[in-house]
Amino acid sequence: MIKLLSRNIFFIALPVLIIITLNLAYSQGISQQEINNEFDNAVALFNSGKYDEALIDFNKIIIDYKYNSKTTASEFFKTKIYFELKQYNQFKYAAEQFYEAYPKSKYVDEIRLLMTKYYIEIANYYNALREILFIIEKTNSSAYELKARQIG
């Protein structure tokens, strides 16, 4: 009797577990497709110079989705938008937050170059030079090293 009951529970529980697993996998697939579409739309807005609209979309991605490559890239674009809009207080804050949250990100060198331009813009040449030297010493990218040398 106990064997029969255990067997029945197994045959009932197994399909339920399969259905739950398939639903989770399906919903994650939709979620990734949604984030890709939203991200591509936000990048298109950024590339067309519609920074305010792009900022709204990037912020939505950051808030609505768990940490992944698109949320990190959205944080990067958010920082770039603040720089493009010359909202320097927000730019500096976002850049510093990015350094803290993603110190090993592939976008750090680009943000450091923007930080250099920011310091030049506000005539803080000492800190601009510090950023340039930091890039030259720490980057693994010869392209960023060259850009830093050209600015400096």
Side-chain angles (χ1 to χ4, degrees), residues 92-139:
K92 189 167 188 271
Y93 179 78
E96 290 169 351
Q97 292 297 314
F98 193 92
Y99 294 151
E100 277 185 41
Y102 314 106
K104 303 284 187 205
S105 170
K106 64 182 179 181
Y107 303 113
V108 168
D109 289 336
E110 181 72 24
I111 290 179
R112 289 211 175 271
L113 283 175
L114 290 174
M115 191 66 100
T116 300
K117 292 176 183 177
Y118 158 74
Y119 284 129
I120 291 170
E121 187 74 24
I122 64 168
N124 186 335
Y125 303 114
Y126 174 77
N127 281 335
L129 182 59
R130 285 183 48 202
E131 290 293 335
I132 290 168
L133 293 174
F134 189 91
I135 295 167
I136 291 169
E137 290 175 8
K138 301 290 184 181
T139 189

Side-chain angles (χ1 to χ4, degrees), residues 7-140:
R7 190 173 179 198
N8 286 341
I9 290 174
F10 174 76
F11 285 116
I12 292 171
L14 183 61
V16 170
L17 287 173
I18 291 171
I19 290 170
I20 290 171
T21 303
L22 290 174
N23 280 339
L24 286 173
Y26 179 73
S27 68
Q28 287 176 348
I30 289 174
S31 179
Q32 189 58 48
Q33 186 60 41
E34 286 176 7
I35 191 172
N36 289 343
N37 290 341
E38 288 182 38
F39 182 79
D40 291 344
N41 290 335
V43 170
L45 289 168
F46 176 86
N47 288 336
S48 66
K50 297 178 181 176
Y51 300 125
D52 290 321
E53 293 174 49
L55 183 60
I56 291 167
D57 287 357
F58 286 124
N59 277 328
K60 184 179 183 312
I61 291 167
I62 293 163
I63 292 167
D64 289 352
Y65 297 100
K66 294 179 183 176
Y67 169 78
N68 65 50
S69 62
K70 300 297 185 198
T71 55
T72 305
S74 294
E75 292 278 5
F76 165 70
F77 274 103
K78 181 174 127 177
T79 305
K80 283 184 73 160
I81 288 169
Y82 286 138
F83 184 82
E84 293 296 329
L85 293 174
K86 298 189 184 305
Q87 295 176 357
Y88 292 134
N89 288 336
Q90 291 93 331
F91 162 74
K92 189 167 188 271
Y93 179 78
E96 290 169 351
Q97 292 297 314
F98 193 92
Y99 294 151
E100 277 185 41
Y102 314 106
K104 303 284 187 205
S105 170
K106 64 182 179 181
Y107 303 113
V108 168
D109 289 336
E110 181 72 24
I111 290 179
R112 289 211 175 271
L113 283 175
L114 290 174
M115 191 66 100
T116 300
K117 292 176 183 177
Y118 158 74
Y119 284 129
I120 291 170
E121 187 74 24
I122 64 168
N124 186 335
Y125 303 114
Y126 174 77
N127 281 335
L129 182 59
R130 285 183 48 202
E131 290 293 335
I132 290 168
L133 293 174
F134 189 91
I135 295 167
I136 291 169
E137 290 175 8
K138 301 290 184 181
T139 189
N140 293 324

Side-chain angles (χ1 to χ4, degrees), residues 136-147:
I136 291 169
E137 290 175 8
K138 301 290 184 181
T139 189
N140 293 324
S141 166
S142 58
Y144 282 113
E145 182 181 348
L146 180 61
K147 286 180 183 181

